[in-house]
Amino acid sequence: MRSKNKGPVLQRRGQVDGTTTDQRLLDSRGPTDWVHTDPWRVQRITAEFVEGFGALAELGPAVAVFGSARTPADDPAYAQGEQVGRALAEAGFAVITGGGPGVMEAANKGASEAGGTSVGLGIELPFETGLNDWVDLGIDFRYFFARKTMFVKYSQGFVVLPGGLGTLDELFEALTLVQTGKVTAFPVVLLGTAYWSGLIDWLRESVVAGGKMSRADLDQLVVTDDVGEAVALMRRDAAGEGDGGQGPA
């Protein structure tokens, strides 16, 4: 029976290829479709994790700030984003955002102007280009899951300003990780009671009331308009004094 060992992979019968790995590496001729195959993507994924871990390993205490990329500079949420970034930096936290425009830019700007560490974790998208000018340490990712790992691994909590699908995605992923015990003592603050109150009401009146989540899960969220309260919660949690959330009103 025809067979071949290709590293850890065993090939038999019709699965046996006619070349060796070294041969294909050293032979510059032939098709280049291999760079788009799944095994090669694994290497790219690994590289993204290696780059992210290497760049952020010595970051120190950090808080992620999320919010809409579509927020204009004259929107009150933009000014609040700057205030959050500045206050977090002054409290000794690095500020991590998605590196884009809008609220992300505002938080990076506030942190950078306050002399803090301003981090942007960008993502390849068809409708956004590059990291904002206030990112002092930036990484661009191809894969959402690699980027999300960096947010959770290197942030001690999330501050979430008004945003759309991407913001909601990060918010609910954080809550899921807390619910399932994948992360512990991870405070999540929603800034903007007018924006978030409808969501909280729906979660309480439909999801909790319907038995789809517990009240304790909802209590992980703190909803406020006070930047000082949000930063104080992050500081208490970093000092081991917090309970990971005081719950919505």
Side-chain angles (χ1 to χ4, degrees):
M1 179 173 58
R2 188 178 178 214
S3 66
K4 174 183 173 182
N5 287 99
K6 184 179 178 181
V9 178
L10 171 65
Q11 298 176 332
R12 286 177 174 162
R13 291 175 284 271
Q15 293 297 315
V16 176
D17 57 31
T19 61
T20 68
T21 303
D22 282 343
Q23 177 187 350
R24 290 191 300 276
L25 174 65
L26 298 173
D27 190 350
S28 60
R29 299 167 296 174
T32 59
D33 292 346
W34 60 273
V35 300
H36 304 295
T37 62
D38 285 344
W40 182 248
R41 288 190 181 100
V42 171
Q43 301 304 316
R44 287 178 173 164
I45 292 166
T46 301
E48 291 208 341
F49 281 108
V50 170
E51 289 293 339
F53 293 155
L56 302 175
E58 298 178 351
L59 186 61
V63 173
V65 179
F66 296 99
S68 176
R70 305 181 186 188
T71 303
D74 59 356
D75 191 295
Y78 189 100
Q80 192 172 49
E82 282 192 64
Q83 187 182 357
V84 170
R86 184 177 301 109
L88 286 169
E90 290 171 349
F93 292 104
V95 173
I96 307 176
T97 79
V103 167
M104 294 175 282
E105 175 186 281
N108 285 133
K109 180 180 179 183
S112 183
E113 288 185 336
T117 303
S118 175
V119 180
L121 306 181
I123 186 70
E124 180 184 2
L125 294 174
F127 46 80
E128 288 181 24
T129 55
L131 299 170
N132 69 68
D133 291 338
W134 295 100
V135 169
D136 298 322
L137 174 62
I139 310 169
D140 271 315
F141 291 87
R142 285 186 175 93
Y143 301 102
F144 268 116
F145 53 83
R147 179 186 189 231
K148 287 180 177 181
T149 299
M150 302 304 153
F151 276 124
V152 176
K153 179 171 175 59
Y154 293 104
S155 299
Q156 295 183 233
F158 286 177
V159 177
V160 188
L161 282 79
L165 290 177
T167 301
L168 292 171
D169 176 52
E170 297 290 355
L171 166 62
F172 281 104
E173 178 151 29
L175 293 178
T176 300
L177 292 172
V178 172
Q179 181 196 57
T180 55
K182 299 298 185 182
V183 296
T184 56
F186 195 87
V188 180
V189 178
L190 304 182
L191 272 180
T193 55
Y195 188 83
W196 295 111
S197 60
L199 173 64
I200 296 300
D201 290 344
W202 175 76
L203 288 172
R204 180 188 298 112
E205 297 167 8
S206 295
V207 185
V208 174
K212 305 300 187 298
M213 65 184 288
S214 71
R215 174 70 196 208
D217 296 330
L218 186 58
D219 286 346
Q220 295 296 324
L221 291 170
V222 175
V223 187
T224 183
D225 291 311
D226 187 345
V227 169
E229 180 184 355
V231 175
L233 176 61
M234 299 298 161
R235 294 183 70 173
R236 287 198 304 271
D237 191 79
E241 301 171 2
D243 61 2
Q246 300 172 345

